[in-house]
Amino acid sequence: MAEPYNTPMPASTPVPASTPRSSSPAPPLPSLTPNGSMTTIPLRLPQQDPSDKRRPIVLHIGDPIKYNPATYAEFSQAFEVIRPSTAERERSEFKKALQERRWGDFSAIFRPFWGTGGEMGRWDAELIGLLPTSVKVFASAGAGFDWADTKLLGKRGIIYCNSGLAAAEAVADFAVAMVISTFRHLPWCMGAATLPYFLTTSSSPDSTTASVAAGKTFQTCHSLATAVSHNPRNHVLGLIGFGNIGQQIAARFGNASFGMRIAYYDVVRKPASMESSLGATYYPNLELLLAASDCVVLCTPASADGKPLITTDALKQVKKGLRFVNVARGSLVDEEALADALEDGRISAAALDVHSEEPRVSQRLVKMAFGEQDIVGRNAKEQAKSIFDHPGRVMLTCHNAGGTVETHIGFEELSMRNIMAVLGGHKAITPVNLHYMKTTE
Ligand SMILES: O=CC(=O)O
């Protein structure tokens, strides 16, 4: 039997044997923004044989660099940078060019932006099979790397470097807004203040009815949202994935300002020093984490097989009224299973920045964002009543979490530094597929 959306949440259960936060100052978290630790990442140019006048070729896919002219000046001096045209980046032409060896024996692939450079589609066996054996490194914008078969690249001896380090700060900041949204029912608050006006003025000529209905919706939300809103303090924040992004989220919520208890699950347990500096308690599997958490944030890369982690089975054992946030990848969530859990009250509120079929957003979830009835096309009173009776409790955004200027500055810079490092015979800075390579660097 479905629970009403506004059942007060039980007080949080403390995490068993929680890890005490160490009293010594936490070491700086890895980040790569202009104010972060960019300068601690070395710029390593290749050692060239002065008698060899040929420079290694870098295939630059996507827009020209925009933010880091000084690094690019060194980069383009060290390498011959070839940038295929927009038409050449379409898949069929791109394949043809690779077959013809149009760009020679290039050593690196460079994609500095997230918005361009992906025109050729997925880097699967078909594209990877056409690469010259000279390619050693593929450095790309983006925290996620589900657009490339990094396992196959690794088997071919090509290091794939992502740029999650550059996005971590922005994604963690966005996650703060989303976590708070699930505790404070922001979609309800925002919808009640704005939607009745928006919908009624666009669909009803009756402005008096619209304004009365809107006023009532506002007052209702003002009085009733209190009963379902909670402070995050002392609640358990469960992080699924404890890489750069998970660690930055932990640092924000586990400190005195928010005072949440941090729990995490990751395939690899992190060192005790990190757990203690972030006050994070490890859970050995997803089910235990879901059962212990008041709010979970999904911040882990997409599964290699594209399969979801958040499924009907995984959601069986959650703590009743769990709040759910996804800033990772839509493919990690079975959205039908999530909608079922929201409908029957196992999940009280959700915030999703990413969606399984982007740019399409699940219609079931959209209805829960705006009110659970189909409000478009109804009269003003009915629309307001819908928002009143079925307040939004799902925040939906357009894959915006990592999207800041600072992230993009970092994407460019980090991708260039990764290529300079690898082609200079040094360790890659942010490799993700070394475990698939026959030999490591
Ligand atoms: O989703 C954005 C990214 O992968 O950086």
Side-chain angles (χ1 to χ4, degrees):
M1 160 94 177
E3 291 287 327
Y5 63 85
N6 58 354
T7 306
M9 291 305 127
S12 87
T13 317
V15 176
S18 68
T19 304
R21 202 180 170 86
S22 105
S23 54
S24 50
L29 285 170
S31 81
L32 193 90
T33 65
N35 298 325
S37 56
M38 172 114 58
T39 50
T40 66
I41 294 181
L43 189 71
R44 294 176 190 273
L45 294 170
Q47 304 272 319
Q48 292 216 184
D49 172 354
S51 64
D52 187 352
K53 297 286 172 241
R54 291 166 309 167
R55 292 174 300 162
I57 300 171
V58 171
L59 189 71
H60 170 166
I61 49 178
D63 284 355
I65 74 109
K66 193 164 155 189
Y67 299 111
N68 299 283
T71 310
Y72 188 70
E74 299 192 46
F75 187 78
S76 52
Q77 204 169 16
F79 308 120
E80 183 186 345
V81 182
I82 298 181
R83 199 169 71 81
S85 66
T86 310
E88 283 180 315
R89 298 201 306 263
E90 291 307 324
R91 193 169 181 93
S92 58
E93 193 54 31
F94 196 75
K95 275 176 22 195
K96 190 159 169 255
L98 287 176
Q99 273 152 353
E100 289 170 358
R101 292 281 179 267
R102 197 180 297 167
W103 303 308
D105 285 335
F106 52 92
S107 304
I109 305 169
F110 171 49
R111 180 189 178 187
F113 294 106
W114 190 238
T116 60
E119 299 81 1
M120 68 293 302
R122 190 173 154 73
W123 282 80
D124 53 12
E126 183 182 47
L127 281 193
I128 294 170
L130 294 174
L131 288 175
T133 51
S134 48
V135 181
K136 293 190 174 58
V137 55
F138 188 151
S140 175
F145 40 88
D146 43 337
W147 76 305
D149 185 338
T150 54
K151 181 175 180 181
L152 186 58
L153 285 167
K155 288 190 164 164
R156 288 273 316 255
I158 300 169
I159 302 174
Y160 185 95
C161 300
N162 78 338
S163 300
L165 198 54
E169 184 164 340
V171 176
D173 288 345
F174 208 81
V176 171
M178 298 197 116
V179 168
I180 292 176
S181 171
T182 65
F183 276 89
R184 301 298 302 271
H185 291 265
L186 294 189
W188 184 9
C189 306
M190 294 166 73
T194 54
L195 271 171
Y197 289 101
F198 171 70
L199 292 167
T200 53
T201 47
S202 62
S203 63
S204 162
D206 181 352
S207 65
T208 308
T209 312
S211 140
V212 168
K216 197 170 161 216
T217 307
F218 183 106
Q219 286 301 347
T220 304
C221 176
H222 174 70
S223 340
L224 296 189
T226 305
V228 289
S229 293
H230 292 268
N231 295 352
R233 189 171 304 280
N234 289 330
H235 287 82
V236 177
L237 183 68
L239 299 166
I240 304 170
F242 210 51
N244 293 316
I245 293 171
Q247 291 162 35
Q248 292 237 8
I249 297 172
R252 283 157 178 69
F253 280 108
N255 67 22
S257 309
F258 283 106
M260 295 190 81
R261 296 161 191 265
I262 306 298
Y264 80 96
Y265 159 67
D266 200 312
V267 281
V268 179
R269 183 170 183 172
K270 301 296 172 189
S273 57
M274 179 185 289
E275 290 180 356
S276 100
S277 75
L278 292 168
T281 299
Y282 174 69
Y283 279 76
N285 65 53
L286 178 64
E287 286 69 27
L288 286 175
L289 185 83
L290 291 173
S293 300
D294 298 297
C295 178
V296 287
V297 181
L298 197 46
C299 43
T300 190
S303 326
D305 58 8
K307 293 210 172 119
L309 271 184
I310 303 300
T311 57
T312 303
D313 272 355
L315 292 174
K316 274 188 184 141
Q317 304 298 333
V318 302
K319 190 194 274 190
K320 177 111 179 97
L322 176 72
R323 301 160 181 89
F324 178 79
V325 173
N326 187 3
V327 288
R329 279 291 181 269
S331 62
L332 288 164
V333 177
D334 173 344
E335 288 174 349
E336 291 300 309
L338 179 69
D340 290 343
L342 277 155
E343 275 172 15
D344 68 22
R346 271 172 293 153
I347 294 185
S348 59
L352 309 175
D353 182 47
V354 285
H355 310 275
S356 63
E357 288 175 42
E358 289 179 21
R360 201 187 140 269
V361 178
S362 151
Q363 288 305 293
R364 274 179 86 188
L365 296 173
V366 167
K367 284 184 182 172
M368 292 187 214
F370 286 145
E372 290 176 5
Q373 292 172 9
D374 189 2
I375 49 183
V376 178
R378 292 175 177 233
N379 68 33
K381 244 188 186 155
E382 284 171 345
Q383 287 170 347
K385 185 169 182 322
S386 165
I387 294 167
F388 175 105
D389 288 342
H390 302 279
R393 57 206 174 95
V394 178
M395 179 182 189
L396 299 169
T397 52
C398 305
H399 202 141
N400 302 109
T404 65
V405 170
E406 289 77 9
T407 296
H408 282 257
I409 293 171
F411 280 169
E412 260 187 10
E413 181 77 19
L414 185 56
S415 305
M416 286 190 277
R417 287 184 190 238
N418 265 310
I419 291 174
M420 288 167 155
V422 175
L423 298 188
H426 307 283
K427 276 183 183 293
I429 303 161
T430 52
V432 300
N433 64 344
L434 294 185
H435 51 297
Y436 295 128
M437 304 187 72
K438 287 183 207 111
T439 53
T440 52
E441 293 164 278

mmCIF file of all heavy atoms in Angstrom, residues 267-311:
data_model
loop_
_atom_site.group_PDB
_atom_site.id
_atom_site.type_symbol
_atom_site.label_atom_id
_atom_site.label_comp_id
_atom_site.label_asym_id
_atom_site.label_seq_id
_atom_site.Cartn_x
_atom_site.Cartn_y
_atom_site.Cartn_z
ATOM 1 N N VAL A 267 34.200 -0.066 -4.769
ATOM 2 C CA VAL A 267 34.770 -1.393 -5.030
ATOM 3 C C VAL A 267 36.114 -1.572 -4.342
ATOM 4 O O VAL A 267 36.482 -2.675 -3.959
ATOM 5 C CB VAL A 267 34.896 -1.700 -6.541
ATOM 6 C CG1 VAL A 267 33.579 -2.117 -7.137
ATOM 7 C CG2 VAL A 267 35.480 -0.530 -7.306
ATOM 8 N N VAL A 268 36.824 -0.474 -4.195
ATOM 9 C CA VAL A 268 38.103 -0.558 -3.475
ATOM 10 C C VAL A 268 38.008 0.303 -2.217
ATOM 11 O O VAL A 268 37.692 1.489 -2.300
ATOM 12 C CB VAL A 268 39.269 -0.040 -4.356
ATOM 13 C CG1 VAL A 268 40.587 -0.115 -3.604
ATOM 14 C CG2 VAL A 268 39.348 -0.820 -5.646
ATOM 15 N N ARG A 269 38.266 -0.318 -1.067
ATOM 16 C CA ARG A 269 38.234 0.450 0.181
ATOM 17 C C ARG A 269 39.390 1.456 0.192
ATOM 18 O O ARG A 269 40.503 1.151 -0.228
ATOM 19 C CB ARG A 269 38.337 -0.514 1.373
ATOM 20 C CG ARG A 269 38.229 0.229 2.673
ATOM 21 C CD ARG A 269 38.072 -0.671 3.862
ATOM 22 N NE ARG A 269 37.905 0.162 5.039
ATOM 23 C CZ ARG A 269 37.599 -0.278 6.225
ATOM 24 N NH1 ARG A 269 37.398 -1.564 6.421
ATOM 25 N NH2 ARG A 269 37.465 0.561 7.233
ATOM 26 N N LYS A 270 39.122 2.648 0.704
ATOM 27 C CA LYS A 270 40.153 3.688 0.712
ATOM 28 C C LYS A 270 41.042 3.545 1.954
ATOM 29 O O LYS A 270 40.634 2.935 2.946
ATOM 30 C CB LYS A 270 39.503 5.075 0.709
ATOM 31 C CG LYS A 270 38.602 5.311 -0.481
ATOM 32 C CD LYS A 270 39.365 5.287 -1.788
ATOM 33 C CE LYS A 270 38.424 5.317 -2.985
ATOM 34 N NZ LYS A 270 39.060 5.096 -4.264
ATOM 35 N N PRO A 271 42.238 4.160 1.917
ATOM 36 C CA PRO A 271 43.147 4.030 3.061
ATOM 37 C C PRO A 271 42.523 4.599 4.341
ATOM 38 O O PRO A 271 41.723 5.544 4.294
ATOM 39 C CB PRO A 271 44.362 4.865 2.664
ATOM 40 C CG PRO A 271 44.228 5.117 1.210
ATOM 41 C CD PRO A 271 42.797 4.943 0.828
ATOM 42 N N ALA A 272 42.937 4.019 5.473
ATOM 43 C CA ALA A 272 42.391 4.446 6.771
ATOM 44 C C ALA A 272 42.607 5.933 7.000
ATOM 45 O O ALA A 272 41.757 6.619 7.580
ATOM 46 C CB ALA A 272 43.047 3.627 7.877
ATOM 47 N N SER A 273 43.749 6.459 6.512
ATOM 48 C CA SER A 273 44.020 7.893 6.750
ATOM 49 C C SER A 273 42.965 8.755 6.059
ATOM 50 O O SER A 273 42.518 9.774 6.591
ATOM 51 C CB SER A 273 45.416 8.250 6.236
ATOM 52 O OG SER A 273 45.491 7.913 4.867
ATOM 53 N N MET A 274 42.521 8.330 4.876
ATOM 54 C CA MET A 274 41.500 9.109 4.174
ATOM 55 C C MET A 274 40.158 8.971 4.895
ATOM 56 O O MET A 274 39.430 9.955 5.095
ATOM 57 C CB MET A 274 41.356 8.628 2.729
ATOM 58 C CG MET A 274 40.290 9.380 1.972
ATOM 59 S SD MET A 274 40.038 8.725 0.331
ATOM 60 C CE MET A 274 41.545 9.236 -0.461
ATOM 61 N N GLU A 275 39.830 7.741 5.288
ATOM 62 C CA GLU A 275 38.564 7.539 6.003
ATOM 63 C C GLU A 275 38.529 8.423 7.245
ATOM 64 O O GLU A 275 37.528 9.060 7.553
ATOM 65 C CB GLU A 275 38.392 6.071 6.397
ATOM 66 C CG GLU A 275 38.129 5.169 5.199
ATOM 67 C CD GLU A 275 37.945 3.700 5.589
ATOM 68 O OE1 GLU A 275 38.092 3.351 6.781
ATOM 69 O OE2 GLU A 275 37.656 2.896 4.678
ATOM 70 N N SER A 276 39.668 8.451 7.960
ATOM 71 C CA SER A 276 39.604 9.193 9.212
ATOM 72 C C SER A 276 39.627 10.700 8.972
ATOM 73 O O SER A 276 38.925 11.444 9.644
ATOM 74 C CB SER A 276 40.647 8.684 10.190
ATOM 75 O OG SER A 276 41.738 9.515 10.195
ATOM 76 N N SER A 277 40.340 11.170 7.940
ATOM 77 C CA SER A 277 40.325 12.630 7.734
ATOM 78 C C SER A 277 38.954 13.097 7.257
ATOM 79 O O SER A 277 38.555 14.226 7.526
ATOM 80 C CB SER A 277 41.444 13.081 6.807
ATOM 81 O OG SER A 277 41.131 12.751 5.498
ATOM 82 N N LEU A 278 38.212 12.229 6.593
ATOM 83 C CA LEU A 278 36.874 12.636 6.129
ATOM 84 C C LEU A 278 35.772 12.092 7.046
ATOM 85 O O LEU A 278 34.578 12.296 6.786
ATOM 86 C CB LEU A 278 36.646 12.165 4.690
ATOM 87 C CG LEU A 278 37.520 12.859 3.645
ATOM 88 C CD1 LEU A 278 37.445 12.157 2.312
ATOM 89 C CD2 LEU A 278 37.122 14.320 3.504
ATOM 90 N N GLY A 279 36.156 11.389 8.099
ATOM 91 C CA GLY A 279 35.167 10.815 9.023
ATOM 92 C C GLY A 279 34.231 9.848 8.322
ATOM 93 O O GLY A 279 33.036 9.790 8.619
ATOM 94 N N ALA A 280 34.752 9.097 7.361
ATOM 95 C CA ALA A 280 33.887 8.252 6.524
ATOM 96 C C ALA A 280 33.943 6.791 6.956
ATOM 97 O O ALA A 280 35.021 6.252 7.187
ATOM 98 C CB ALA A 280 34.315 8.376 5.071
ATOM 99 N N THR A 281 32.779 6.156 7.047
ATOM 100 C CA THR A 281 32.697 4.743 7.410
ATOM 101 C C THR A 281 32.440 3.912 6.159
ATOM 102 O O THR A 281 31.533 4.220 5.376
ATOM 103 C CB THR A 281 31.541 4.529 8.407
ATOM 104 O OG1 THR A 281 31.839 5.293 9.564
ATOM 105 C CG2 THR A 281 31.384 3.068 8.785
ATOM 106 N N TYR A 282 33.237 2.864 6.015
ATOM 107 C CA TYR A 282 33.139 2.010 4.821
ATOM 108 C C TYR A 282 32.065 0.943 4.994
ATOM 109 O O TYR A 282 31.963 0.320 6.060
ATOM 110 C CB TYR A 282 34.494 1.343 4.594
ATOM 111 C CG TYR A 282 34.505 0.332 3.479
ATOM 112 C CD1 TYR A 282 34.362 0.742 2.154
ATOM 113 C CD2 TYR A 282 34.670 -1.025 3.747
ATOM 114 C CE1 TYR A 282 34.377 -0.186 1.120
ATOM 115 C CE2 TYR A 282 34.697 -1.953 2.711
ATOM 116 C CZ TYR A 282 34.542 -1.524 1.401
ATOM 117 O OH TYR A 282 34.559 -2.431 0.381
ATOM 118 N N TYR A 283 31.278 0.732 3.961
ATOM 119 C CA TYR A 283 30.323 -0.391 3.911
ATOM 120 C C TYR A 283 30.756 -1.328 2.799
ATOM 121 O O TYR A 283 31.030 -0.872 1.693
ATOM 122 C CB TYR A 283 28.895 0.134 3.661
ATOM 123 C CG TYR A 283 28.278 0.641 4.938
ATOM 124 C CD1 TYR A 283 28.661 1.868 5.472
ATOM 125 C CD2 TYR A 283 27.364 -0.131 5.643
ATOM 126 C CE1 TYR A 283 28.139 2.311 6.670
ATOM 127 C CE2 TYR A 283 26.835 0.309 6.845
ATOM 128 C CZ TYR A 283 27.234 1.530 7.356
ATOM 129 O OH TYR A 283 26.731 1.959 8.547
ATOM 130 N N PRO A 284 30.811 -2.620 3.082
ATOM 131 C CA PRO A 284 31.385 -3.534 2.092
ATOM 132 C C PRO A 284 30.472 -3.851 0.916
ATOM 133 O O PRO A 284 30.920 -4.451 -0.055
ATOM 134 C CB PRO A 284 31.669 -4.798 2.903
ATOM 135 C CG PRO A 284 30.771 -4.710 4.087
ATOM 136 C CD PRO A 284 30.522 -3.267 4.351
ATOM 137 N N ASN A 285 29.191 -3.482 0.987
ATOM 138 C CA ASN A 285 28.381 -3.668 -0.212
ATOM 139 C C ASN A 285 27.269 -2.629 -0.291
ATOM 140 O O ASN A 285 26.958 -1.945 0.688
ATOM 141 C CB ASN A 285 27.855 -5.106 -0.347
ATOM 142 C CG ASN A 285 26.901 -5.466 0.763
ATOM 143 O OD1 ASN A 285 25.928 -4.751 1.002
ATOM 144 N ND2 ASN A 285 27.171 -6.568 1.464
ATOM 145 N N LEU A 286 26.699 -2.545 -1.478
ATOM 146 C CA LEU A 286 25.709 -1.504 -1.757
ATOM 147 C C LEU A 286 24.460 -1.664 -0.890
ATOM 148 O O LEU A 286 23.914 -0.686 -0.372
ATOM 149 C CB LEU A 286 25.331 -1.586 -3.252
ATOM 150 C CG LEU A 286 24.283 -0.606 -3.736
ATOM 151 C CD1 LEU A 286 24.785 0.829 -3.613
ATOM 152 C CD2 LEU A 286 23.902 -0.894 -5.192
ATOM 153 N N GLU A 287 24.020 -2.902 -0.729
ATOM 154 C CA GLU A 287 22.780 -3.139 0.017
ATOM 155 C C GLU A 287 22.912 -2.638 1.450
ATOM 156 O O GLU A 287 22.004 -1.998 1.983
ATOM 157 C CB GLU A 287 22.427 -4.643 0.017
ATOM 158 C CG GLU A 287 21.883 -5.146 -1.313
ATOM 159 C CD GLU A 287 22.922 -5.169 -2.436
ATOM 160 O OE1 GLU A 287 24.137 -5.301 -2.146
ATOM 161 O OE2 GLU A 287 22.525 -5.030 -3.615
ATOM 162 N N LEU A 288 24.056 -2.923 2.098
ATOM 163 C CA LEU A 288 24.250 -2.464 3.483
ATOM 164 C C LEU A 288 24.259 -0.942 3.543
ATOM 165 O O LEU A 288 23.714 -0.337 4.458
ATOM 166 C CB LEU A 288 25.561 -3.018 4.053
ATOM 167 C CG LEU A 288 25.543 -4.499 4.409
ATOM 168 C CD1 LEU A 288 26.936 -4.963 4.839
ATOM 169 C CD2 LEU A 288 24.530 -4.777 5.512
ATOM 170 N N LEU A 289 24.884 -0.325 2.537
ATOM 171 C CA LEU A 289 24.928 1.145 2.529
ATOM 172 C C LEU A 289 23.517 1.720 2.375
ATOM 173 O O LEU A 289 23.130 2.655 3.074
ATOM 174 C CB LEU A 289 25.815 1.650 1.380
ATOM 175 C CG LEU A 289 25.990 3.165 1.393
ATOM 176 C CD1 LEU A 289 27.096 3.572 2.373
ATOM 177 C CD2 LEU A 289 26.319 3.714 0.015
ATOM 178 N N LEU A 290 22.731 1.133 1.468
ATOM 179 C CA LEU A 290 21.367 1.642 1.245
ATOM 180 C C LEU A 290 20.512 1.465 2.496
ATOM 181 O O LEU A 290 19.646 2.285 2.797
ATOM 182 C CB LEU A 290 20.707 0.929 0.056
ATOM 183 C CG LEU A 290 21.296 1.260 -1.329
ATOM 184 C CD1 LEU A 290 20.678 0.363 -2.395
ATOM 185 C CD2 LEU A 290 21.080 2.719 -1.688
ATOM 186 N N ALA A 291 20.758 0.393 3.232
ATOM 187 C CA ALA A 291 19.950 0.140 4.435
ATOM 188 C C ALA A 291 20.319 1.089 5.573
ATOM 189 O O ALA A 291 19.500 1.348 6.452
ATOM 190 C CB ALA A 291 20.136 -1.315 4.874
ATOM 191 N N ALA A 292 21.564 1.619 5.537
ATOM 192 C CA ALA A 292 22.016 2.464 6.654
ATOM 193 C C ALA A 292 21.841 3.955 6.379
ATOM 194 O O ALA A 292 21.952 4.765 7.285
ATOM 195 C CB ALA A 292 23.495 2.187 6.921
ATOM 196 N N SER A 293 21.590 4.322 5.108
ATOM 197 C CA SER A 293 21.647 5.740 4.741
ATOM 198 C C SER A 293 20.286 6.423 4.808
ATOM 199 O O SER A 293 19.251 5.839 4.518
ATOM 200 C CB SER A 293 22.171 5.881 3.304
ATOM 201 O OG SER A 293 23.459 5.338 3.210
ATOM 202 N N ASP A 294 20.327 7.734 5.152
ATOM 203 C CA ASP A 294 19.125 8.568 5.059
ATOM 204 C C ASP A 294 19.064 9.253 3.695
ATOM 205 O O ASP A 294 17.999 9.627 3.230
ATOM 206 C CB ASP A 294 19.157 9.639 6.151
ATOM 207 C CG ASP A 294 19.145 9.004 7.529
ATOM 208 O OD1 ASP A 294 18.153 8.340 7.865
ATOM 209 O OD2 ASP A 294 20.155 9.139 8.253
ATOM 210 N N CYS A 295 20.243 9.439 3.118
ATOM 211 C CA CYS A 295 20.316 10.040 1.776
ATOM 212 C C CYS A 295 21.506 9.400 1.079
ATOM 213 O O CYS A 295 22.562 9.260 1.705
ATOM 214 C CB CYS A 295 20.528 11.548 1.900
ATOM 215 S SG CYS A 295 20.688 12.399 0.317
ATOM 216 N N VAL A 296 21.330 8.958 -0.151
ATOM 217 C CA VAL A 296 22.493 8.438 -0.880
ATOM 218 C C VAL A 296 22.766 9.303 -2.101
ATOM 219 O O VAL A 296 21.841 9.842 -2.715
ATOM 220 C CB VAL A 296 22.349 6.966 -1.359
ATOM 221 C CG1 VAL A 296 22.457 5.988 -0.225
ATOM 222 C CG2 VAL A 296 21.120 6.753 -2.182
ATOM 223 N N VAL A 297 24.050 9.420 -2.408
ATOM 224 C CA VAL A 297 24.453 10.135 -3.623
ATOM 225 C C VAL A 297 25.236 9.153 -4.482
ATOM 226 O O VAL A 297 26.197 8.533 -4.020
ATOM 227 C CB VAL A 297 25.351 11.353 -3.304
ATOM 228 C CG1 VAL A 297 25.717 12.078 -4.591
ATOM 229 C CG2 VAL A 297 24.669 12.298 -2.332
ATOM 230 N N LEU A 298 24.791 9.037 -5.726
ATOM 231 C CA LEU A 298 25.473 8.167 -6.669
ATOM 232 C C LEU A 298 26.563 9.007 -7.340
ATOM 233 O O LEU A 298 26.266 10.007 -8.012
ATOM 234 C CB LEU A 298 24.425 7.715 -7.680
ATOM 235 C CG LEU A 298 24.654 6.534 -8.574
ATOM 236 C CD1 LEU A 298 25.210 5.341 -7.835
ATOM 237 C CD2 LEU A 298 23.346 6.154 -9.258
ATOM 238 N N CYS A 299 27.827 8.630 -7.115
ATOM 239 C CA CYS A 299 28.934 9.424 -7.677
ATOM 240 C C CYS A 299 30.051 8.469 -8.085
ATOM 241 O O CYS A 299 31.171 8.573 -7.615
ATOM 242 C CB CYS A 299 29.414 10.489 -6.693
ATOM 243 S SG CYS A 299 29.570 9.952 -4.987
ATOM 244 N N THR A 300 29.697 7.540 -8.946
ATOM 245 C CA THR A 300 30.637 6.516 -9.400
ATOM 246 C C THR A 300 30.546 6.426 -10.925
ATOM 247 O O THR A 300 29.492 6.751 -11.483
ATOM 248 C CB THR A 300 30.262 5.169 -8.732
ATOM 249 O OG1 THR A 300 31.284 4.233 -8.970
ATOM 250 C CG2 THR A 300 28.945 4.602 -9.226
ATOM 251 N N PRO A 301 31.616 6.006 -11.618
ATOM 252 C CA PRO A 301 31.507 5.906 -13.085
ATOM 253 C C PRO A 301 30.458 4.889 -13.517
ATOM 254 O O PRO A 301 30.109 3.978 -12.753
ATOM 255 C CB PRO A 301 32.897 5.426 -13.514
ATOM 256 C CG PRO A 301 33.797 5.669 -12.364
ATOM 257 C CD PRO A 301 32.960 5.658 -11.127
ATOM 258 N N ALA A 302 29.975 5.039 -14.738
ATOM 259 C CA ALA A 302 29.032 4.067 -15.306
ATOM 260 C C ALA A 302 29.657 2.677 -15.285
ATOM 261 O O ALA A 302 30.879 2.543 -15.401
ATOM 262 C CB ALA A 302 28.708 4.454 -16.742
ATOM 263 N N SER A 303 28.810 1.645 -15.122
ATOM 264 C CA SER A 303 29.346 0.277 -15.139
ATOM 265 C C SER A 303 29.913 -0.022 -16.519
ATOM 266 O O SER A 303 29.370 0.444 -17.527
ATOM 267 C CB SER A 303 28.244 -0.752 -14.884
ATOM 268 O OG SER A 303 27.294 -0.254 -14.007
ATOM 269 N N ALA A 304 30.960 -0.836 -16.551
ATOM 270 C CA ALA A 304 31.596 -1.159 -17.837
ATOM 271 C C ALA A 304 30.596 -1.832 -18.779
ATOM 272 O O ALA A 304 30.638 -1.631 -19.994
ATOM 273 C CB ALA A 304 32.802 -2.056 -17.604
ATOM 274 N N ASP A 305 29.657 -2.611 -18.224
ATOM 275 C CA ASP A 305 28.684 -3.304 -19.082
ATOM 276 C C ASP A 305 27.413 -2.472 -19.305
ATOM 277 O O ASP A 305 26.451 -2.936 -19.896
ATOM 278 C CB ASP A 305 28.322 -4.668 -18.485
ATOM 279 C CG ASP A 305 27.742 -4.542 -17.079
ATOM 280 O OD1 ASP A 305 27.473 -3.405 -16.632
ATOM 281 O OD2 ASP A 305 27.527 -5.594 -16.424
ATOM 282 N N GLY A 306 27.399 -1.223 -18.800
ATOM 283 C CA GLY A 306 26.239 -0.342 -19.005
ATOM 284 C C GLY A 306 25.039 -0.707 -18.149
ATOM 285 O O GLY A 306 23.965 -0.118 -18.285
ATOM 286 N N LYS A 307 25.202 -1.684 -17.248
ATOM 287 C CA LYS A 307 24.048 -2.131 -16.456
ATOM 288 C C LYS A 307 23.832 -1.234 -15.241
ATOM 289 O O LYS A 307 24.783 -0.693 -14.676
ATOM 290 C CB LYS A 307 24.270 -3.561 -15.989
ATOM 291 C CG LYS A 307 24.269 -4.555 -17.122
ATOM 292 C CD LYS A 307 23.765 -5.913 -16.662
ATOM 293 C CE LYS A 307 23.592 -6.836 -17.846
ATOM 294 N NZ LYS A 307 24.430 -8.023 -17.773
ATOM 295 N N PRO A 308 22.555 -1.084 -14.809
ATOM 296 C CA PRO A 308 22.298 -0.231 -13.643
ATOM 297 C C PRO A 308 22.713 -0.869 -12.332
ATOM 298 O O PRO A 308 22.696 -2.095 -12.192
ATOM 299 C CB PRO A 308 20.775 -0.026 -13.677
ATOM 300 C CG PRO A 308 20.243 -1.141 -14.491
ATOM 301 C CD PRO A 308 21.325 -1.607 -15.418
ATOM 302 N N LEU A 309 23.060 -0.015 -11.371
ATOM 303 C CA LEU A 309 23.342 -0.464 -9.993
ATOM 304 C C LEU A 309 22.084 -0.345 -9.142
ATOM 305 O O LEU A 309 21.858 -1.121 -8.228
ATOM 306 C CB LEU A 309 24.350 0.495 -9.345
ATOM 307 C CG LEU A 309 25.826 0.309 -9.444
ATOM 308 C CD1 LEU A 309 26.536 1.360 -8.616
ATOM 309 C CD2 LEU A 309 26.202 -1.076 -8.922
ATOM 310 N N ILE A 310 21.305 0.692 -9.456
ATOM 311 C CA ILE A 310 20.102 0.951 -8.672
ATOM 312 C C ILE A 310 18.936 0.277 -9.394
ATOM 313 O O ILE A 310 18.402 0.793 -10.382
ATOM 314 C CB ILE A 310 19.880 2.478 -8.509
ATOM 315 C CG1 ILE A 310 21.110 3.116 -7.859
ATOM 316 C CG2 ILE A 310 18.615 2.777 -7.700
ATOM 317 C CD1 ILE A 310 21.461 2.582 -6.474
ATOM 318 N N THR A 311 18.586 -0.908 -8.875
ATOM 319 C CA THR A 311 17.594 -1.753 -9.528
ATOM 320 C C THR A 311 16.489 -2.067 -8.513
ATOM 321 O O THR A 311 16.607 -1.728 -7.330
ATOM 322 C CB THR A 311 18.251 -3.090 -9.925
ATOM 323 O OG1 THR A 311 18.797 -3.654 -8.707
ATOM 324 C CG2 THR A 311 19.369 -2.917 -10.921
#
